[in-house]
Amino acid sequence: MQKLPLSGVTVVSVEQAVAAPYATRQLADLGARVIKVERPGEGDFARRYDTTVHGHSSYFVWINRSKESLTLDLKDPRGRAVLHGLLRDADVFVQNLAPGAAERLGLGTEELTRRYPRLIPCTISGYGTDGPWADRKAYDLLVQCQTGLVSLTGTADETARTGISVADIAAGMYAYSGVLTALYTRATTGTAHPVEVSLFEALAEWMGQPAYYTAHGGEQPPRLGTQHATIAPYGTYRAADGREVLFSVQNEREWAALCAGFLGRPELTDDPRFATGSDRVAHREELNAIVAGRCARDDAATLLADLEAIGIACAGVNDVAAFLDHPVLAARGRWRDVAVPGATVRALLPPADLAGVPARMDPVPAVGEHTETILRELGHSDAEIEALRADGVV
């Protein structure tokens, strides 16, 4: 088998939920050995978020392939001793425990960097490890609310959460890129830099555009459903068959093409109400009425064909089932089979393709599936392993 980019890198992760497991799965995708430390018996609580994937959680299956599962009771000194046995030779340690828990277990960044100078500790927290909110718990929707994202999402009448765990995903992405940067820096300078990411600050970065808009425009972008706060026309419109189509006009050339080739009203190009992007946003309701009237005359397939013919970016509004059968994913061969305990599922390849590097798509582990193997690697005898198991340490 071809050597993967992170082959030889060992990551030990005391992880749960979404953010840290998403970061470490991406490291595993690139060939890192990821040892996932879970609670004896129950494991990561995300295993029980739902049971839709052959009895397994959809969250867990998504972000835990290609890992090894080791169960340890870290409140027991013997469990912590096993963990430290791993950390002596590990490259990266990732944790997203509750505020203060890592320090109480002797796994805080300061302690780890003192004991293991080559180790790269990565801490994922809710609001940072210091500051006035360091001790607060933070879940994805709480962070969506605190960053103001929820105030931008929904309609004029009602706010809405974003339909995926964007704060967790953002934090996982930044933790992943931070660890890669720290590995590169250690390789080139010999210095291991700790990495810290918070859900709040990760999602705060994604709020950059509305933050600038609000700070300098005097008010925040309005909630407009699928419409865009600063571009018009941009959003969904209902076709004659009841389906919705979405399209966007990004510049004056496209606006002229839409007027002449789709709306059949070339004179609108120079209408002072719609002459510039700002004019079209200011007269959004009048513009939407014109566009909606045109869209109501044809079915969705015809509208999309007409829009594509004049070079306007457009799309039908898929549900998740339609996404799963999307022709682009099929034609580009983006699906692979991945084993889960007792079954096999389809999984998408990692989105970043490295030319000539095969994708790693190894099984999703059962709770504690690799415990005995890892303990034997650390020199524990069968009798010692049995004693640890009998006492509930593993």
Side-chain angles (χ1 to χ4, degrees):
M1 180 180 293
Q2 182 174 340
K3 188 176 181 181
L4 296 173
L6 293 185
S7 295
V9 172
T10 297
V11 179
V12 178
S13 188
V14 181
E15 60 181 29
Q16 55 197 352
V18 176
Y22 187 48
T24 59
R25 195 217 75 190
Q26 294 174 91
L27 297 169
D29 289 343
L30 292 176
R33 182 187 187 188
V34 176
I35 299 173
K36 180 184 180 77
V37 178
E38 302 189 70
R39 299 173 186 83
E42 59 187 71
D44 181 345
F45 57 73
R47 287 182 179 272
R48 298 179 302 284
Y49 278 171
D50 60 73
T51 57
T52 57
V53 186
H54 301 287
H56 305 286
S57 160
S58 55
Y59 279 90
F60 193 86
V61 169
W62 165 43
I63 52 179
N64 286 285
R65 65 172 182 253
S66 303
K67 301 180 184 180
E68 300 171 42
S69 174
L70 165 68
T71 50
L72 289 177
D73 179 1
L74 295 178
K75 294 181 179 179
D76 190 299
R78 293 168 291 175
R80 293 197 297 276
V82 171
L83 180 63
H84 282 286
L86 289 171
L87 294 178
R88 277 194 292 270
D89 296 316
D91 297 285
V92 179
F93 175 67
V94 179
Q95 64 89 7
N96 67 333
L97 295 170
E103 287 71 23
R104 290 192 296 272
L105 293 169
L107 299 172
T109 295
E110 185 175 340
E111 174 69 10
L112 291 180
T113 53
R114 182 185 65 79
R115 293 183 65 169
Y116 312 111
R118 287 189 69 259
L119 183 69
I120 297 168
C122 175
T123 300
I124 302 176
S125 65
Y127 296 100
T129 55
D130 57 14
W133 285 27
D135 295 331
R136 287 201 184 199
K137 289 184 177 181
Y139 301 123
D140 187 87
L141 183 53
L142 299 178
V143 175
Q144 288 191 38
C145 289
Q146 291 294 338
T147 57
L149 177 59
V150 168
S151 76
L152 301 174
T153 307
T155 67
D157 298 323
E158 186 176 11
T159 58
R161 69 176 288 270
T162 301
I164 57 174
S165 301
V166 288
D168 286 310
I169 293 169
M173 290 296 301
Y174 288 120
Y176 164 62
S177 62
V179 167
L180 291 180
T181 303
L183 285 168
Y184 176 79
T185 303
R186 191 187 68 177
T188 54
T189 69
T191 301
H193 292 280
V195 177
E196 180 181 344
V197 177
S198 77
L199 273 69
F200 179 75
E201 288 159 357
L203 196 56
E205 165 64 20
W206 289 16
M207 288 291 292
Q209 181 275 323
Y212 279 114
Y213 183 100
T214 302
H216 297 278
E219 58 183 11
Q220 73 173 46
R223 289 193 309 274
L224 297 168
T226 60
Q227 301 282 312
H228 196 287
T230 61
I231 303 172
Y234 189 141
T236 55
Y237 299 91
R238 193 167 300 279
D241 58 2
R243 295 176 58 202
E244 288 185 317
V245 298
L246 181 142
F247 67 88
S248 168
V249 168
Q250 298 281 324
N251 53 54
E252 304 315 316
R253 177 186 55 78
E254 290 183 353
W255 169 238
L258 186 81
C259 292
F262 182 72
L263 298 177
R265 296 183 60 181
E267 74 278 4
L268 292 177
T269 302
D270 300 318
D271 189 312
R273 296 173 298 170
F274 311 131
T276 68
S278 296
D279 293 330
R280 292 191 290 276
V281 170
H283 296 90
R284 183 193 306 274
E285 291 188 10
E286 299 162 77
L287 178 56
N288 278 342
I290 294 169
V291 174
R294 163 65 183 94
C295 290
R297 298 202 303 266
D298 287 308
D299 61 26
T302 300
L303 294 178
L304 292 171
D306 290 348
L307 289 164
E308 288 175 3
I310 60 171
I312 301 297
C314 59
V317 180
N318 287 340
D319 58 15
V320 178
F323 153 71
L324 291 172
D325 291 329
H326 202 288
V328 171
L329 297 176
R332 286 176 47 79
R334 301 306 298 178
W335 294 103
R336 294 291 185 276
D337 287 341
V338 170
V340 300
T344 300
V345 299
R346 287 196 313 164
L348 284 168
L349 290 168
D353 291 330
L354 278 68
V357 177
R360 182 187 184 193
M361 305 287 282
D362 290 347
V364 176
V367 178
E369 179 178 341
H370 304 89
T371 298
E372 291 188 12
T373 300
I374 294 169
L375 290 176
R376 288 195 181 96
E377 289 179 6
L378 293 172
H380 293 269
S381 67
D382 288 349
E384 290 171 331
I385 294 171
E386 184 55 38
L388 292 171
R389 194 176 295 284
D391 292 341
V393 180
V394 300

